[in-house]
Amino acid sequence: MPPSQYLLLSLADHPLASQEAPRQGAAPSGDVRCLNVAGRWAVHGTTHTPLLVWHPTQSGAAQAAGERAAQARNAPVEVVSRGDASWLEGCQIQVFTDAFEPALLGSAAQSEARARRLRTEADKLAAFSLIVRGASTAADQEAFAEVGRAAAQALRAKFGGGSITSTFAWLAGQSGRDALESVLVGEVELTGPLSLRQVVEAAELARKAERLREQS
């Protein structure tokens, strides 16, 4: 039995929305970010910050909410249709009521320290993913060594040091998983040239490489 479908709000001009999210009436990719109760754009909801949803019969209300959000945020917002067998109302998703109107208008404030920590970890996530992708596509040992030299220089300039080995280990480990989850639940925006899907793929490449290294 297919999961129940809900209507959600997504940033229409976000690269993931334009590349991967179909219009209302079709199920978009799991990478599409939608509005949650904290007023942030997230791939999935949590018990603390579920995704805001409308029932299909509330399409007019969802469209009106999207228009209010677009006006408040000065960004195009579209209504998308999604369904997931794991969703429970009040847990991963929350049906919109007037109490959640502030989420349409902007994101809830974070403490300065938390915002700074999340930004630092997200910047590492983006930079390390770029390095892992470059190393994983190196055609030969010479190309891999060149990636390593460039990576060491970039890591030293931005983070004070590091290597390809430490980059793979961080991305595959708990710190990398936590940083990726913070992006997926909308706590912090991803930066850099890679899409969210490419970052997720890089994390998986790092985990596979670390498993192979441990087995060798």
Side-chain angles (χ1 to χ4, degrees):
M1 183 176 178
S4 299
Q5 295 291 304
Y6 293 88
L7 304 179
L8 303 91
L9 301 184
S10 178
L11 272 179
D13 66 344
H14 189 275
L16 288 174
S18 61
Q19 294 170 10
E20 300 168 12
R23 296 292 174 177
Q24 183 176 332
S29 158
D31 290 342
V32 175
R33 301 191 308 156
C34 297
L35 192 66
N36 65 20
V37 299
R40 295 190 174 85
W41 306 99
V43 171
H44 59 249
T46 69
T47 54
H48 297 296
T49 54
L51 299 175
L52 283 174
V53 301
W54 289 257
H55 292 290
T57 55
Q58 300 175 299
S59 59
Q63 190 63 48
E67 292 171 0
R68 297 198 299 278
Q71 182 176 12
R73 297 165 181 267
N74 194 30
V77 174
E78 65 182 357
V79 178
V80 297
S81 178
R82 288 186 66 183
D84 192 303
S86 67
W87 283 354
L88 290 175
E89 292 185 15
C91 294
Q92 294 84 7
I93 56 174
Q94 173 64 56
V95 176
F96 182 83
T97 66
D98 290 344
F100 297 107
E101 184 71 20
L104 302 179
L105 309 181
S107 58
Q110 295 173 328
S111 71
E112 184 176 341
R114 178 173 177 77
R116 184 166 56 248
R117 179 181 65 79
L118 289 171
R119 178 75 273 144
T120 298
E121 296 304 293
D123 287 347
K124 286 183 180 179
L125 177 68
F128 291 6
S129 294
L130 194 61
I131 291 170
V132 166
R133 284 176 62 85
S136 299
T137 56
D140 50 37
Q141 189 60 37
E142 183 178 348
F144 184 87
E146 179 60 32
V147 172
R149 288 190 290 272
Q153 184 176 5
L155 292 170
R156 189 180 307 112
K158 190 162 187 178
F159 302 110
S163 64
I164 283 187
T165 301
S166 64
T167 294
F168 271 81
W170 186 93
L171 199 55
Q174 190 61 51
S175 294
R177 289 194 293 271
D178 289 347
L180 179 56
E181 181 67 8
S182 294
V183 172
L184 292 175
V185 301
E187 289 187 312
V188 63
E189 293 283 333
L190 189 65
T191 59
L194 299 182
S195 70
L196 178 54
R197 174 169 291 181
Q198 289 172 320
V199 169
V200 170
E201 290 172 350
E204 182 58 30
L205 286 172
R207 286 192 288 269
K208 288 180 179 178
E210 286 299 289
R211 285 196 296 268
L212 290 173
R213 185 185 63 80
E214 292 170 358
Q215 293 168 5
S216 61

